[in-house]
Amino acid sequence: ECYVQNTAREYAKIYAAEAEPLEGFGEVPEIIPIFLVHRPANNIPYATVEEELIGEFVKYSVKDGKEVNFLRRDSEAGQKCCTFQHWVYEKTNGSLLVTDLQGVGMKLTDVGIATLAKGYRGFKGNCSISFIEQFRALHQCNKYCEMLGLKSLRTTHQKQRRATSVKSKNLPNSSTIKKTVPKKAREPRDFISSEH
């Protein structure tokens, strides 16, 4: 949990360095750090600790991509979170996606990362590869994507779908290919620390 969130935090810092200088971009989402605490005298010797976020807790993106969230589409924070996802996806050539972005305003916590099956630069995320596919299919670029010069995923996804459908016609037993089912999205935390 710490490794995933703090890895996503490093990507968010690089994103901020590129986005903040752009005229009109404004504030950038921040993924708060999470720390692992060792408590040897306790029955449960390890716990995670992070800053308490006070205010309305909002899910700006959901792991499985199925939830319709108007705050994601219509709010500045939501649009910038979607742009952050698109930016990470493009920077890693479609190999990694930060997902399950949620928090209060521009402060985010409890994020997830999806990678291709082989991982990305030695890192394997905690979410199914299907989240990458769903993001590619469902993402709608906004003005922040345009400000960063990100390429539209619509044409890329449509080309890949056509190529895949042509290939699958030539494959024997293509109906036996396994489909992965995403895990249920976690509920937001109501507390500062969680014990593991």
Side-chain angles (χ1 to χ4, degrees):
E1 186 179 342
C2 292
Y3 187 45
V4 167
Q5 184 152 320
N6 291 328
T7 298
R9 178 175 163 76
E10 292 305 311
Y11 279 104
K13 287 178 185 178
I14 300 166
Y15 168 70
E18 283 190 28
E20 284 176 335
L22 297 174
E23 186 178 333
F25 199 95
E27 189 180 2
V28 178
E30 172 195 1
I31 297 173
I32 63 172
I34 186 169
F35 303 97
L36 183 64
V37 179
H38 183 225
R39 310 170 308 167
N42 198 296
N43 288 341
I44 302 171
Y46 292 96
T48 57
V49 180
E50 63 184 345
E51 174 185 349
E52 181 179 19
L53 300 180
I54 299 172
E56 183 184 0
F57 200 94
V58 178
K59 287 188 173 196
Y60 297 113
S61 70
V62 179
K63 281 185 185 177
D64 63 13
K66 292 179 183 174
E67 186 174 313
V68 176
N69 186 336
F70 293 106
L71 284 172
R72 179 187 72 214
R73 189 184 68 198
D74 298 337
S75 74
E76 179 183 349
Q79 288 182 21
K80 288 179 177 178
C81 285
C82 288
T83 300
F84 171 58
Q85 289 185 288
H86 187 169
W87 178 87
V88 169
Y89 177 83
E90 191 170 296
K91 289 291 181 188
T92 62
N93 296 313
S95 299
L96 187 143
L97 179 70
V98 178
T99 189
D100 206 20
L101 299 171
Q102 54 191 321
V104 176
M106 294 284 185
K107 289 197 170 196
L108 309 174
T109 186
D110 203 18
V111 300
I113 294 181
T115 60
L116 295 180
K118 64 181 190 277
Y120 178 71
R121 295 185 177 180
F123 177 81
K124 283 199 173 194
N126 62 341
C127 298
S128 167
I129 188 174
S130 65
F131 304 144
I132 294 175
E133 297 296 323
Q134 289 171 358
F135 173 75
R136 245 195 324 243
L138 299 173
H139 175 71
Q140 294 178 342
C141 286
N142 59 52
K143 67 180 183 180
Y144 300 107
C145 295
E146 291 171 16
M147 289 173 83
L148 282 166
L150 301 175
K151 298 174 197 153
S152 172
L153 300 179
R154 290 283 176 226
T155 52
T156 307
H157 180 65
Q158 288 168 349
K159 286 178 188 173
Q160 288 174 342
R161 283 185 65 186
R162 276 191 225 118
T164 303
S165 64
V166 170
K167 285 179 187 176
S168 65
K169 289 177 185 174
N170 299 330
L171 289 175
N173 301 325
S174 62
S175 62
T176 61
I177 296 173
K178 278 188 173 181
K179 294 182 181 175
T180 57
V181 179
K183 293 179 186 173
K184 220 176 173 186
R186 289 187 286 186
E187 292 301 315
R189 294 184 186 152
D190 294 326
F191 50 88
I192 310 172
S193 68
S194 64
E195 296 187 345
H196 298 284

